[in-house]
Amino acid sequence: MLTKIGFISLDELKDSIRNDTVLISIMFANNEIGTIQPIKEISKIAKESNVIFHTDCVQAIGNVKINVDELGIDLLSMSAHKFYGPKGVGALYVRNGIDFAKIQDGGHQERNKRAGTENVAGIVGLGKAIELANNNLENYNSKLLKLRNYFIREITSKFKNVKINGDLKQRLPGNVNISFPNTDAEEVLLKLDSQGICASAGSACSSGSSEPSHVLTAIGLDKNLVGGSLRITFGEQNNIDEVKFLINVLERILG
Ligand SMILES: *Cc1c(COP(=O)(O)O)cnc(C)c1O
């Protein structure tokens, strides 16, 4: 069960661990509503029960500071293109001493853990991208926060009946998920697109499907809000003028 702002229940997590549980895997930050889970508390629960803790960090890497030792993370996955690296390459951090079964049979590359010749260019690209992201983390984070907070402040003052989904503090800096009551988000997206604005309704991976967002459904959002929810993500190449333009366009579409 998720809370209304998208946090997992730590009590439920504790209760769900059985004698034969070997792994807990919980997303660091949600891709739709940006909620950052209480990772340190989760890893503590895992450790107390002698269970390995994996986190899908794909959204969070490059956006928030992550120290696997401080946070008690055993396994962590990332994908290069989410922090401006090349597409088609990712990495799994594995804490020393943890063994895992391969998912791909064939050659004995990479200590028999991943058959197939390494994508060297991709790997080097990922390495460089994470280095740059890490060096620029604080600037990037505060830049996104400015854009995001400006957008939230303006949009909630212009539209009194909107709802911002997810937690406002424990949240990815560039993420806004906003519901306009009794609105068809797909229609809004088309109009935004015609103005050169890319946004999404729900997960980008399931764009094109008209299924309601499972994340918004899981946090118990009202039905008339789920269908009118937009996910807006600010990134490195955005600036405040673009945020103003976005607000303008939304006013024209929905005002
Ligand atoms: C994008 C994303 C993925 C998938 O990564 P790809 O490399 O794009 O397939 C997995 N988890 C989260 C949280 C993501 O945001």
Side-chain angles (χ1 to χ4, degrees), residues 212-228:
S213 152
H214 71 98
V215 176
L216 298 179
T217 307
I219 60 171
L221 195 68
D222 280 356
K223 274 227 164 58
N224 70 328
L225 289 179
V226 173

Side-chain angles (χ1 to χ4, degrees), residues 27 29-31 56 58-59 79 81-82 205:
M27 219 176 206
N30 184 264
N31 50 322
D56 170 347
V58 176
Q59 281 291 317
S79 181
H81 72 106
K82 298 283 176 76
C205 313

Side-chain angles (χ1 to χ4, degrees), residues 24-31 37 39 53-61 66 73 75-79 82 92:
I24 292 171
S25 180
I26 291 175
M27 219 176 206
F28 198 105
N30 184 264
N31 50 322
Q37 297 296 340
I39 294 298
F53 173 45
H54 166 262
T55 182
D56 170 347
C57 242
V58 176
Q59 281 291 317
I61 290 264
I66 295 163
I73 296 167
L75 301 163
L76 175 156
S77 34
M78 64 182 94
S79 181
K82 298 283 176 76
L92 174 70

Side-chain angles (χ1 to χ4, degrees), residues 92-243:
L92 174 70
Y93 160 79
V94 182
R95 182 173 292 284
N96 253 340
I98 291 181
D99 198 17
F100 61 94
K102 62 188 168 185
I103 55 168
Q104 197 167 309
D105 274 316
H108 298 281
Q109 285 97 334
E110 300 189 49
R111 300 191 198 125
N112 210 16
K113 290 303 183 205
R114 187 189 180 279
T117 299
E118 295 91 335
N119 168 11
V120 175
I123 294 167
V124 171
L126 182 147
K128 190 66 191 174
I130 193 91
E131 184 189 319
L132 294 173
N134 212 23
N135 291 342
N136 192 34
L137 190 66
E138 272 161 41
N139 275 342
Y140 183 55
N141 191 292
S142 65
K143 174 195 166 143
L144 295 187
L145 275 180
K146 262 186 218 136
L147 300 179
R148 205 264 318 271
N149 292 344
Y150 178 84
F151 176 80
I152 291 181
R153 209 169 49 237
E154 290 295 307
I155 206 79
T156 49
S157 81
K158 290 186 192 321
F159 294 86
K160 297 293 178 206
N161 57 355
V162 295
K163 180 171 185 311
I164 306 291
N165 299 308
D167 190 53
L168 284 176
K169 289 217 175 68
Q170 294 302 312
R171 179 190 199 95
L172 291 172
N175 170 286
V176 185
N177 191 301
I178 183 168
S179 302
F180 297 90
N182 306 312
T183 303
D184 181 358
E186 296 293 332
E187 223 177 287
V188 178
L189 285 179
L190 285 177
K191 290 178 178 163
L192 287 177
D193 186 52
S194 75
Q195 299 296 312
I197 298 169
C198 304
S200 71
S203 153
C205 313
S206 56
S207 59
S209 89
S210 51
E211 288 290 298
S213 152
H214 71 98
V215 176
L216 298 179
T217 307
I219 60 171
L221 195 68
D222 280 356
K223 274 227 164 58
N224 70 328
L225 289 179
V226 173
S229 300
L230 295 180
R231 169 194 174 201
I232 295 159
T233 313
F234 300 112
E236 177 63 33
Q237 284 132 13
N238 292 127
N239 58 44
I240 196 82
D241 288 336
E242 289 171 328
V243 181

Side-chain angles (χ1 to χ4, degrees), residues 22-43:
V22 293
L23 180 76
I24 292 171
S25 180
I26 291 175
M27 219 176 206
F28 198 105
N30 184 264
N31 50 322
E32 291 189 40
I33 56 174
T35 304
I36 297 173
Q37 297 296 340
I39 294 298
K40 208 167 173 171
E41 286 78 2
I42 294 171
S43 76

